[in-house]
């Protein structure tokens, strides 16, 4: 399986397995192998980034959490917490998905339920970072 090189300075040590004609990637948070989709490839990079580079514990990362938004059940991709409080909401898209105002608004709507102080919208190649302050989002470039 050919996986795109994503926009991360670091390289991570992923574990893969193949079953029949499908590939799986090991998720350090859920401690299980998951079907390797383009979106999962992006999410696993962020998980490894927060565990290895930022030194968060696996208990501070929440994946695929269900939320209810306007009566509909949705799932967030990744939530980084500090002292059990939501800190960073990360919405992962497949690398071929363009990040647009519409996809950012989707992430912001999810965050209206979660209440994280920061959101990251990413397709692995491009990352859009924003802080929520004074009732609006301030975009920024990470150091």
């Amino acid at each position: 399986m050919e996986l795109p090189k994503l926009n991360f300075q670091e390289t991570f040590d992923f574990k893969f397995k193949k079953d029949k004609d499908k590939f799986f990637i090991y998720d350090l948070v859920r401690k299980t192998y998951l079907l390797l989709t383009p979106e999962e490839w992006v999410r696993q990079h962020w998980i490894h980034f927060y565990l290895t580079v930022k030194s968060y514990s696996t208990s501070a990362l929440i994946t695929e959490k269900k939320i209810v938004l306007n009566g509909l059940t949705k799932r967030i991709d990744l939530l980084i917490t500090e002292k059990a409080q939501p800190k960073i909401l990360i919405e992962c898209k497949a690398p071929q998905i363009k990040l647009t105002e519409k996809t950012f608004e989707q992430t912001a709507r999810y965050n209206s339920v979660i209440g994280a102080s920061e959101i990251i919208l990413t397709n692995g190649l491009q990352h859009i970072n924003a802080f929520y302050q004074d009732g609006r989002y301030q975009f920024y470039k990470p150091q």
Side-chain angles (χ1 to χ4, degrees):
M1 175 177 221
E2 191 62 38
L3 297 166
K5 169 94 176 84
L6 300 183
N7 184 15
F8 285 81
Q9 288 182 321
E10 305 78 13
T11 49
F12 303 112
D13 189 20
F14 297 107
K15 289 199 295 191
F16 300 98
K17 77 175 185 181
K18 185 178 179 187
D19 185 17
K20 298 184 176 87
D21 60 344
K22 290 186 166 66
F23 288 89
F24 296 83
I25 188 167
Y26 189 75
D27 183 318
L28 295 169
V29 174
R30 291 179 267 187
K31 296 179 176 42
T32 189
Y33 281 91
L34 302 171
L35 183 63
L36 181 55
T37 62
E39 183 181 303
E40 194 61 52
W41 180 233
V42 174
R43 181 187 3 245
Q44 290 304 319
H45 274 74
W46 283 100
I47 287 171
H48 280 253
F49 175 79
Y50 277 98
L51 293 176
T52 60
V53 177
K54 296 293 190 179
S55 300
Y56 279 78
S57 69
T58 54
S59 63
L61 278 63
I62 299 169
T63 58
E64 300 263 309
K65 177 181 169 68
K66 285 183 186 177
I67 61 168
V68 176
L69 181 66
N70 299 327
L72 299 172
T73 301
K74 303 286 184 184
R75 286 183 195 271
I76 60 168
D77 290 323
L78 180 59
L79 179 63
I80 311 302
T81 64
E82 272 185 12
K83 297 183 177 118
Q85 295 303 307
K87 181 172 184 197
I88 307 166
L89 175 62
I90 303 171
E91 178 66 23
C92 302
K93 300 294 183 191
Q96 72 272 15
I97 302 295
K98 237 177 112 112
L99 303 184
T100 63
E101 191 173 329
K102 186 177 175 186
T103 53
F104 181 82
E105 286 169 359
Q106 171 197 2
T107 309
R109 276 194 303 277
Y110 288 2
N111 197 41
S112 71
V113 175
I114 298 295
S117 57
E118 183 178 350
I119 60 176
I120 298 171
L121 172 61
T122 179
N123 62 9
L125 304 172
Q126 179 186 10
H127 318 298
I128 297 173
N129 302 63
F131 274 114
Y132 189 71
Q133 240 175 324
D134 303 323
R136 60 192 201 110
Y137 284 98
Q138 306 284 335
F139 295 91
Y140 73 96
K141 289 249 185 260
Q143 279 23 327

